[in-house]
Amino acid sequence: MTSDSRGAAAVRGIDQAKALRVSPVYLAGEDRSGAARVVYPLRDDFGWSVGSTGVANVVLDSPCRRARIGYLPTHPVYTSLWVVGVAVAPLHPFAWTAGFSHGTPSEIVAAFAEALTYDLAGGGQDALLDDHDLDLVIAPLVQAGWRTTHSYMGPEDDGEAIEGLRIRYASPDGLARARWLDKADDDADLGVDRREGWVLGAGLPGAGWGAAFSAEVPDHLVAAVTRRLGAVRPVFRDERELVPELRERLIVSPSLSDDAPAAQRGETGGRGKPRRSQS
């Protein structure tokens, strides 16, 4: 087999130890070892430094010191599981932030982190680029059969449908959503925070996750997440990690054994530099 970088190889080893392959990814739930999917490649392959803010909390800083990613499952202040911030220069305030709630599948966060790393390493676009382009974000969803809708229901809405938000897409099963919040929209009576930016999420009331991106996050980075949301390839989970309320909504099959051909397991060889996730 082609040699691989340490972080990617470690993540692959974790995947191969899982008993099940499940899809779609947005209903797979949080992987108990999922933090490694983000931390190991950034640390071992791309030189991000790793620190701690307490029990189980991890903070990663990019080599350029412009970006910080926090994995904060037990932090007393942050309610998000993952927090991402990017600044114009080291020690400057963050120009934009993104947050992923508890329950977010680690593959979703990894897709965003990989695209950000690619930008910071100079292989992609600028992580501070003003590239707001609706098509970049929604094209992968439309290709995957997502549709526009005029109602919204999700865990962050306590199961209450919300009418009138202008840009909203839902997965074919109706359990995953993407929407743009605009301060110019007259949504004050809808119970929606008057903020601006992309909001993604999936699941049922009380059994779901959400991700919020401030308006300044370049759309090509948000598109890395929507490409992964629209991708059909399964992810690996232990039976005990599946969210009971979503179990019957998943397509589940046994994982392939370690001695299966690499191509059958979806491995494509070495990983020399960060790249954007592909569907």
Side-chain angles (χ1 to χ4, degrees):
M1 186 195 306
T2 305
S3 62
D4 207 343
S5 53
R6 290 187 300 164
V11 170
R12 188 175 64 248
I14 292 171
D15 281 345
Q16 291 174 355
K18 301 298 183 180
L20 301 174
R21 293 186 301 160
V22 303
S23 63
V25 62
Y26 52 76
L27 299 181
E30 185 181 334
D31 185 346
R32 294 177 185 175
S33 55
R37 191 180 311 280
V38 178
V39 174
Y40 287 176
L42 294 185
R43 183 193 66 186
D44 297 341
D45 304 340
F46 307 119
W48 287 54
S49 61
V50 179
S52 174
T53 63
V55 178
N57 298 314
V58 176
V59 175
L60 299 103
D61 287 294
S62 63
C64 66
R65 295 295 186 264
R66 293 171 53 204
R68 171 167 287 187
I69 297 177
Y71 173 70
L72 307 167
T74 63
H75 200 285
V77 175
Y78 290 96
T79 57
S80 295
L81 179 63
W82 293 93
V83 199
V84 184
V86 172
V88 176
L91 302 180
H92 281 230
F94 291 140
W96 60 254
T97 59
F100 301 83
S101 75
H102 289 265
T104 303
S106 58
E107 292 83 0
I108 302 298
V109 184
F112 186 77
E114 185 176 1
L116 174 60
T117 300
Y118 191 70
D119 281 1
L120 295 173
Q125 303 181 63
D126 194 321
L128 296 171
L129 181 68
D130 183 11
D131 70 345
H132 293 297
D133 183 346
L134 176 65
D135 288 340
L136 285 175
V137 177
I138 67 170
L141 304 178
V142 172
Q143 292 171 5
W146 289 44
R147 65 190 185 280
T148 58
T149 177
H150 297 293
S151 64
Y152 181 86
M153 180 177 290
E156 64 268 43
D157 297 322
D158 297 325
E160 296 294 328
I162 290 179
E163 302 288 344
L165 295 178
R166 294 180 181 177
I167 301 175
R168 187 188 311 102
Y169 284 78
S171 60
D173 59 13
L175 295 176
R177 301 152 295 272
R179 57 175 173 162
W180 170 265
L181 296 181
D182 191 334
K183 288 182 178 179
D185 289 343
D186 186 16
D187 57 15
D189 296 332
L190 301 177
V192 178
D193 293 339
R194 296 192 65 82
R195 56 185 176 181
E196 190 173 17
W198 283 102
V199 178
L200 311 176
L204 295 168
W209 61 270
F213 306 86
S214 64
E216 297 78 15
V217 178
D219 278 352
H220 71 269
L221 292 179
V222 182
V225 175
T226 58
R227 283 196 299 272
R228 190 62 188 93
L229 286 175
V232 298
R233 66 183 183 275
V235 298
F236 296 83
R237 290 292 186 272
D238 186 285
E239 175 76 27
R240 295 164 296 180
E241 295 171 345
L242 301 181
V243 180
E245 295 88 342
L246 301 176
R247 177 66 170 79
E248 65 181 23
R249 313 278 186 139
L250 288 166
I251 299 172
V252 181
S253 61
S255 63
L256 299 177
S257 63
D258 290 353
D259 56 3
Q264 189 178 4
R265 294 198 302 266
E267 298 168 17
T268 57
R271 175 177 175 175
K273 61 181 181 180
R275 62 190 185 282
R276 293 182 196 168
S277 303
Q278 299 295 321
S279 59

